[in-house]
Amino acid sequence: MSRGIARSTRAPCRRAGGHRGAAAAALLVATLLLPAPRLSAEAAPPRVPDAWEYVAMSPEQRHELRERVRLLPQAPRRAFDRALMEQVRSLPDWLYEALSNERVAVDCAAGRMGQEALPPPPELSARQYLERVPHQRYHFRLRARALPPQERQGYEARLAAELSTLAPWLQRALAEEAAREDARYGPVLCPAAP
């Protein structure tokens, strides 16, 4: 190594105070190599991805995004959920249902669903009920099962009255779908591990 290079590499340490300067430089380098601290969800709410950006994410990335959103205060969390739902509802039904199934599976595996109380099911007209994908209708039935007995009976009676306005063949198709989905996924959202 030439003397000029050696002198130029030692000079900053000498000017910074010898060994103390070298220690400070090493600390600075170590600090720069550390991962940046994660901002709290309140300080940096996530950007709502558009529908196809959301599809392009991995299941783990979508789960991490949901976990970040769960840390937000109620108002921004609801705003984010509404905006994301608008994006995801623009996808084809089969893809929307696949994402819904994935969310349930990942959240159940993470133990998330069992910790949260299910929200009450929405009051829907027969047309609104039909516009939902089968997995959403399954979720509404699960949420109705979680209601206190009298509320559950009232909700199921109101929904049955709405569905009675549909054609008989459509009522039969919905009943068959309900039996099929209940057999496939079970009567509870996250069954206990065997």
Side-chain angles (χ1 to χ4, degrees), residues 22 27 33 40 55 57 76 93 121 153 165 187 192:
L27 180 62
L33 294 178
S40 72
V55 169
M57 295 167 75
D93 282 350
Q153 289 171 355
T165 63

Side-chain angles (χ1 to χ4, degrees), residues 16-174:
H19 293 295
R20 284 180 298 194
L27 180 62
L28 176 64
V29 169
T31 304
L32 292 175
L33 294 178
L34 289 175
R38 297 183 88 177
L39 297 174
S40 72
E42 290 180 12
R47 182 183 66 80
V48 178
D50 71 34
W52 292 104
E53 284 177 329
Y54 190 71
V55 169
M57 295 167 75
S58 70
E60 293 77 19
Q61 289 172 321
R62 287 189 283 268
H63 178 69
E64 184 179 328
L65 178 65
R66 287 192 300 275
E67 290 297 310
R68 261 189 93 187
V69 170
R70 283 181 175 124
L71 297 175
L72 293 171
Q74 185 176 8
R77 184 178 68 240
R78 285 186 175 168
F80 182 95
D81 288 341
R82 275 193 302 273
L84 182 62
M85 183 58 67
E86 286 176 18
Q87 289 294 327
V88 177
R89 281 299 294 152
S90 68
L91 295 169
D93 282 350
W94 67 269
L95 190 49
Y96 177 81
E97 186 169 1
L99 289 170
S100 176
N101 291 344
E102 173 201 281
R103 176 182 179 164
V104 171
V106 171
D107 284 355
C108 281
R112 169 59 69 183
M113 292 298 225
Q115 297 170 9
E116 295 177 348
L118 290 174
E123 297 284 340
L124 300 172
S125 68
R127 180 182 173 86
Q128 290 171 323
Y129 189 76
L130 281 175
E131 288 174 348
R132 301 311 202 268
V133 294
H135 202 68
Q136 280 184 308
R137 292 189 284 265
Y138 168 70
H139 275 241
F140 296 157
R141 288 191 300 279
L142 286 181
R143 288 155 63 176
R145 289 176 191 144
L147 293 172
Q150 287 183 338
E151 289 181 41
R152 175 182 176 178
Q153 289 171 355
Y155 176 81
E156 289 175 345
R158 289 189 299 277
L159 182 60
E162 277 292 328
L163 297 182
S164 69
T165 63
L166 298 173
W169 67 268
L170 197 45
Q171 293 178 45
R172 283 193 303 275
L174 287 172

Side-chain angles (χ1 to χ4, degrees), residues 10-25:
R10 284 195 311 257
C13 289
R14 205 177 288 139
R15 277 197 297 268
H19 293 295
R20 284 180 298 194

